[in-house]
Amino acid sequence: MVGEDAAGLASAADAAADAAAEAVDPDEVLRHARALIAARSENPGGTEDEAAEVASGILTDLGAEIRFVRSEAGRPSVVARIGSGERPRLAWNGHLDTVPAGDPSTWSSGPFEGAVVDGRLVGRGACDMKGPIAAALAAVAAVGRAGLSFAGTLDLHLVADEELAGTHGTRVLRDEGLLDQDAAIVGEPSEMEIALAERGGAWVTAVAHGKAAHGSQPHLGVNAILTMSRFLLRLQEVLPDRVHALVGSPTVNVALVTGGSAPNVVPERCQVDIDRRIVPGEEDPEEVLAPFRRLVEDLVVERPDTHIEISLREWTEAAETTGDSAIASLVRDAIAAEAGAPPPFVGFTGITDARYYINDAHIPTVIAGPGSLSLAHTANESIGVDEMVTAARAYARIFVGFLGTR
Ligand SMILES: [Zn+2]
C-alpha cells in the first residue's frame, strides 16, 4: 500500500506540473515582455523605476505580496512573494536593467518598440533579460490559472543594476538578509541549458612611467607608451595554464588605454585597464596579479628603464555550484519535459548575480533562462517568442515541482 500511495502522490504532482505548464498563455508571455521592453531601464543612464512599476503591476494582479527595496541611491528592486510564506522557498532572480540601446540607427526597429520579426521579439532587453522575466511572470500566472496554489513560497527578485555588478540590486537584497531560500534560479539567457558555474573578473590597471623629453630628442626621454607596448605584446604570458571543466580557461583583454600629453612630447605616462577573467578555483587576487608582476620583472631585465606598476582596481568572484542538488535535477527534468531532451550542464562565460546566492548565501543555484547570451548587448537584440513560451512552461513545472501545491 505504501508503494501505491507514493506512486499516487508522484502522479498527482506530475499532473499538477502538467496542468500548470499547459495553462501558460503564449500571448500573455509576449505582452509582458513587450511591456517590460517599453519601460526603458538603461544602465548606465537611467533607472529601473518604470520597469519596476510594470513588473509590480503585473505581480499585484497575480496576488503577490510586493516590496520595493531601494539602494542608498534609490535604485529599486522588486521583491515579490507568492505562496504560503512557508518552506520550501525558492528564489527566481532576474534583472530589470539593460545595457544602453546605443545608436538607434543601428537597429532595424525601435529598441523600445518590441517589434516581432519572423517569430522573434526585438528590443533592448529582449533576451537580457526582460524576455526571461516575462516567462517567469507568465509561469506564475499559469499556476493560478490552473487552480493551483503553492504549498511553499516563491520569492521573485526582480533587481536593479546587474549590468554594473549588482551593487544597487542583488547586493542590497543580500545585505538586507533576503537571500535565505532553499534554492535559487537566475534566469539569465542560457538557451535553457543549465549553467552551474560562472567566471569572475579581475580588473587590473597597469601604469608605465617614462621620462618626458622634447619630441625632437626622443633619445633624451623614456617613452612610456613604448614601454607599455612591450608589456602588452607579451600579455598572454600572464594567463595560468588551467582549464575549468565548465567555463574553460581564464582570458585577458586590454580594454582601455590612455597615454601621452601632446604630439611633440615624449610621453611620460601610459595607463591600460585590463580585464582578466577568472575561473572558479582562482580565489586569491595576489596569485592572479603575480604573473603580471613577473612579466614586468622580465622586461626590466631586458631594459632597465622599464617601470610599470600593477594594481587591482576591482575583483569579482567566480562561482560554482553542484549539479547534485534537488533544484538542478528538477530544472533538468522540467526542461526535458518541454524541450524534448535533457539540457546539458554548462558554464556561463559572463558574470551574473548568481554569485551572491552561491558564494554569499550558500544557496544551491542554477542559471537557466531563454534566449542567447550572444545576442545580449547587441543592436537588434532579440529572443524567439517560442523560446520564451517554452521557458514559461518549464518554469511553471519547476515552481510547482519545487514548492508543491495545495
Ligand atoms: Zn543579463
Side-chain angles (χ1 to χ4, degrees):
M1 282 305 286
V2 172
E4 273 174 38
D5 283 354
L9 280 174
S11 67
D14 287 349
D18 289 345
E22 276 161 30
V24 166
D25 174 356
D27 293 338
E28 183 180 38
V29 182
L30 182 58
R31 199 166 61 242
H32 289 343
R34 296 191 67 196
L36 288 164
I37 288 171
R40 294 173 68 149
S41 50
E42 293 161 286
N43 182 22
T47 75
E48 298 80 3
D49 285 282
E50 201 183 334
E53 287 298 334
V54 169
S56 69
I58 293 166
L59 284 159
T60 301
D61 291 345
L62 295 173
E65 189 187 307
I66 292 164
R67 247 182 94 183
F68 275 55
V69 177
R70 291 186 185 271
S71 69
E72 270 177 31
R75 300 275 291 279
S77 296
V78 178
V79 173
R81 173 159 286 190
I82 299 128
S84 66
E86 306 293 320
R87 290 191 185 271
R89 291 182 36 216
L90 174 67
W92 189 96
N93 176 295
H95 60 86
L96 291 167
D97 63 319
T98 67
V99 294
D103 180 357
S105 72
T106 59
W107 289 69
S108 58
S109 56
F112 306 102
E113 199 178 291
V116 177
V117 181
D118 295 333
R120 299 187 67 81
L121 173 64
V122 179
R124 177 52 83 226
C127 67
D128 188 17
M129 55 173 295
K130 291 175 170 178
I133 290 175
L137 296 174
V140 172
V143 172
R145 202 177 295 122
L148 302 166
S149 56
F150 297 133
T153 308
L154 177 65
D155 289 329
L156 291 179
H157 294 163
L158 307 183
V159 299
D161 194 39
E162 189 277 342
E163 294 293 355
L164 295 181
T167 314
H168 298 283
T170 303
R171 183 184 294 180
V172 179
L173 304 194
R174 177 200 71 185
D175 293 345
E176 299 232 338
L178 295 172
L179 308 190
D180 61 349
Q181 291 76 16
D182 303 297
I185 298 169
V186 173
E188 291 273 4
S190 69
E191 304 184 41
M192 292 312 274
E193 294 182 337
I194 301 173
L196 298 175
E198 66 179 40
R199 300 198 301 172
W203 277 266
V204 178
T205 301
V207 179
H209 299 278
K211 186 177 156 216
H214 195 282
S216 68
Q217 296 173 307
H219 58 283
L220 297 180
V222 177
N223 189 314
I225 292 177
L226 289 180
T227 301
M228 184 60 79
S229 306
R230 287 189 280 274
F231 174 75
L232 294 180
L233 286 172
R234 291 179 56 182
L235 195 58
Q236 290 295 322
E237 294 177 25
V238 305
L239 291 177
D241 188 15
R242 68 189 293 163
V243 183
H244 182 274
L246 293 177
V247 300
S249 301
T251 55
V252 67
N253 177 50
V254 184
L256 280 173
V257 56
T258 47
S261 58
N264 56 352
V265 177
V266 174
E268 64 178 347
R269 190 174 190 279
C270 179
Q271 173 172 328
V272 295
D273 290 293
I274 298 165
D275 178 357
R276 158 76 158 83
R277 295 297 168 114
I278 58 175
V279 301
E282 293 192 298
E283 282 160 12
D284 180 0
E286 283 310 313
E287 224 168 87
V288 169
L289 290 179
F292 287 80
R293 297 196 168 115
R294 275 201 297 277
L295 173 55
V296 173
E297 283 162 20
D298 279 5
L299 292 165
V300 170
V301 170
E302 288 167 21
R303 293 191 58 122
D305 62 5
T306 298
H307 180 194
I308 299 176
E309 281 173 309
I310 302 293
S311 60
L312 183 67
R313 191 158 51 82
E314 201 170 327
W315 174 267
T316 307
E317 298 169 325
E320 180 168 26
T321 187
T322 173
D324 289 335
S325 63
I327 190 66
S329 53
L330 188 63
V331 170
R332 194 173 211 179
D333 291 348
I335 295 172
E338 290 303 329
F345 289 142
V346 297
F348 204 78
T349 55
I351 293 167
T352 80
D353 282 353
R355 71 189 190 281
Y356 294 112
Y357 296 86
I358 296 170
N359 293 345
D360 299 343
H362 307 290
I363 297 173
T365 302
V366 299
I367 302 170
S372 168
L373 190 66
S374 61
L375 297 176
H377 304 192
T378 64
N380 295 320
E381 177 180 347
S382 70
I383 189 168
V385 175
D386 58 343
E387 289 179 86
M388 286 191 290
V389 173
T390 300
R393 292 188 176 126
Y395 286 149
R397 284 184 185 279
I398 294 161
F399 295 164
V400 164
F402 193 84
L403 302 173
T405 54
R406 61 181 186 192

